[in-house]
Amino acid sequence: QVQLLESGGGLVQAGDSLRLSCAASGRTSSMYGMGWFRQAPGKEREFVACITWSTGTAYYADSVKGRFTISSDNAKKTVYLQMNSLKPEDTALYYCAARSSFYKDYDYWGQGTQVTVSS
């Protein structure tokens, strides 16, 4: 079992920055990587970014490239999402997720942290 806890969301203005954190606990030794997803009201959940624990290799959705940066602290079993130049369209509930293999879907999810960006 793996538990994920997100934090760092809030209400900001366009152009501001936020840093989200996701701390993993439980049996985390077999985790392959972690990712961030978001869901706005009335929209489907979408992928934001992911990172591989062993190599630090990261991948981003086109909508956030150049603005968001995902990073991890393996010792603390924590993943971060640095969000710069925030836009109103970034407003969503942000979820942290974990997976045990590149070939598997994400199978552990956090409760989400709200990010609201005003004009």
Side-chain angles (χ1 to χ4, degrees), residues 30-35 50-54 97-102 106:
S30 63
M31 287 198 303
Y32 167 77
M34 298 179 71
C50 64
I51 190 168
T52 300
W53 283 110
S54 61
R99 58 178 172 174
S100 59
S101 171
F102 172 82
Y106 289 89

Side-chain angles (χ1 to χ4, degrees), residues 15-94:
D16 286 352
S17 298
L18 278 176
R19 182 177 183 248
L20 305 183
S21 298
C22 177
S25 60
R27 302 185 68 83
T28 61
S29 61
S30 63
M31 287 198 303
Y32 167 77
M34 298 179 71
W36 287 96
F37 297 77
R38 66 187 183 186
Q39 186 169 23
K43 298 182 179 180
E44 294 185 349
R45 183 178 62 195
E46 66 174 342
F47 168 81
V48 177
C50 64
I51 190 168
T52 300
W53 283 110
S54 61
T55 65
T57 303
Y59 180 80
Y60 300 90
D62 289 340
S63 60
V64 305
K65 286 182 179 178
R67 299 189 299 121
F68 291 10
T69 302
I70 188 171
S71 61
S72 63
D73 184 330
N74 290 16
K76 295 182 178 179
K77 295 299 181 183
T78 300
V79 66
Y80 307 93
L81 185 67
Q82 179 66 46
M83 305 185 294
N84 298 327
S85 301
L86 284 163
K87 305 175 181 180
E89 49 262 46
D90 294 318
T91 296
L93 186 64
Y94 283 70

